[in-house]
Amino acid sequence: MKPFYRDCFPPFLQPGERLIIASDYCHNAALPFVPAGLRTPRTPSPLEQRVRGALGNALGKVTKPLGPAINNRLANNPVTRAVSGSAGNSAPRPVSKEGETVATYAARDFGGNGGRPDRDLTEAVFELQDTIEDAASDAIEHMMYGKSMEGGWSSMAGHFLVDLTNAGDEPRFQALTDRRLIVLVNRNKSWLDGTPKCDLGVAVPRTNIARVTAHSKAVTKGRFDVTFVDGSWIALGSLHRENMEGIVAAFHQGV
């Protein structure tokens, strides 16, 4: 095991715990996205706050005129009129609240009259971008890597991924000790100094793990699957096949 990997873990070992093997951690991009309800709210970095503030101010300037414009266009659109009314009745048809037309219903999310006070255009833009990126990423990655987890969010595998996600930042290193499987995250945000600033991401007792197996697909040559005693499993990995093989061998040697 390389000293670069090994030297990150001593601060996170329990008294008397022995490090067996440490390696890089390669996140499996096909792992499912943890639902928002299970995520710990994250405090945006100062840079993120400045970017979002600037973007919010810029979009805020167009929010007010955008609502009425959408409302007017939809109200005067032949398709909207066809949906809202009928050939024999020119009265608009309510589609949501009593008396609300298609036009006002569609414009409601974008700052028109009767718009939702808890939602602005900035939020809608970020949500739409995240949704599109996640859907495209999941589809491509599932094709390349296959299934990457088995078990619901209340399973051991689900808890493992939720805890790792809520740790925040990039998972960087993993290790097997005589007691636990440990993953560390890198807190370093500096562009100038690339030295990792490690923090605990997730740790599970070896007694919770039934087996660790190498994955057979060539495209994922550094992947290994961790199966827990409840039958759930999750795909982990390294960039290097020899590191993966070392972790698998160390687990089954029982050391």
Side-chain angles (χ1 to χ4, degrees):
M1 118 181 77
K2 294 182 179 180
F4 180 69
Y5 304 143
R6 180 192 61 213
D7 294 347
C8 298
F9 285 90
F12 305 99
L13 299 182
Q14 299 169 344
E17 186 174 16
R18 184 164 57 94
L19 183 66
I20 304 301
I21 187 169
S23 82
D24 65 307
Y25 176 96
C26 180
H27 181 73
N28 189 306
L31 285 171
F33 188 75
V34 175
L38 298 177
R39 288 173 170 259
T40 301
R42 184 177 66 88
T43 302
S45 68
L47 177 60
E48 287 178 306
Q49 292 177 5
R50 290 197 297 271
V51 170
R52 285 178 178 266
L55 182 56
N57 290 337
L59 291 176
K61 294 177 181 179
V62 301
T63 299
K64 291 183 178 179
L66 183 59
I70 292 176
N71 201 9
N72 291 336
R73 282 191 174 187
L74 287 173
N76 295 319
N77 188 285
V79 176
T80 304
R81 289 200 302 270
V83 174
S84 298
S86 63
N89 182 5
S90 60
R93 181 189 308 165
V95 294
S96 181
K97 299 178 183 176
E98 184 177 356
E100 183 177 40
T101 66
V102 172
T104 55
Y105 179 77
R108 187 153 33 101
D109 277 356
F110 296 96
N113 295 331
R116 287 169 48 190
D118 61 335
R119 181 181 177 86
D120 60 20
L121 187 57
T122 310
E123 180 185 353
V125 168
F126 279 115
E127 287 182 0
L128 181 60
Q129 178 184 354
D130 289 343
T131 301
I132 293 173
E133 288 178 353
D134 291 338
S137 176
D138 288 348
I140 294 172
E141 288 153 3
H142 191 274
M143 267 192 320
M144 290 179 59
Y145 300 107
K147 194 170 184 178
S148 58
M149 193 176 90
E150 177 68 43
W153 295 113
S154 60
S155 69
M156 289 183 173
H159 281 298
F160 183 97
L161 183 55
V162 169
D163 290 345
L164 182 57
T165 300
N166 285 335
D169 296 317
E170 176 191 5
R172 184 71 182 274
F173 303 106
Q174 59 191 333
L176 191 67
T177 75
D178 58 344
R179 301 178 189 175
R180 298 180 294 166
L181 172 66
I182 304 172
V183 179
L184 301 182
V185 297
N186 181 21
R187 302 290 191 205
N188 186 8
K189 302 286 197 307
S190 173
W191 296 346
L192 301 177
D193 182 5
T195 304
K197 294 180 180 178
C198 293
D199 197 3
L200 183 64
V202 63
V204 294
R206 286 182 60 156
T207 53
N208 286 358
I209 301 174
R211 61 185 179 274
V212 178
T213 53
H215 196 73
S216 59
K217 284 190 176 181
V219 72
T220 55
K221 63 181 181 179
R223 168 177 164 173
F224 61 95
D225 299 334
V226 177
T227 303
F228 296 92
V229 293
D230 67 349
S232 64
W233 58 267
I234 188 168
L236 304 182
S238 165
L239 286 173
H240 309 286
R241 186 178 185 88
E242 57 270 24
N243 290 347
M244 174 272 289
E245 291 174 341
I247 292 175
V248 173
F251 180 84
H252 289 284
Q253 286 169 2
V255 291

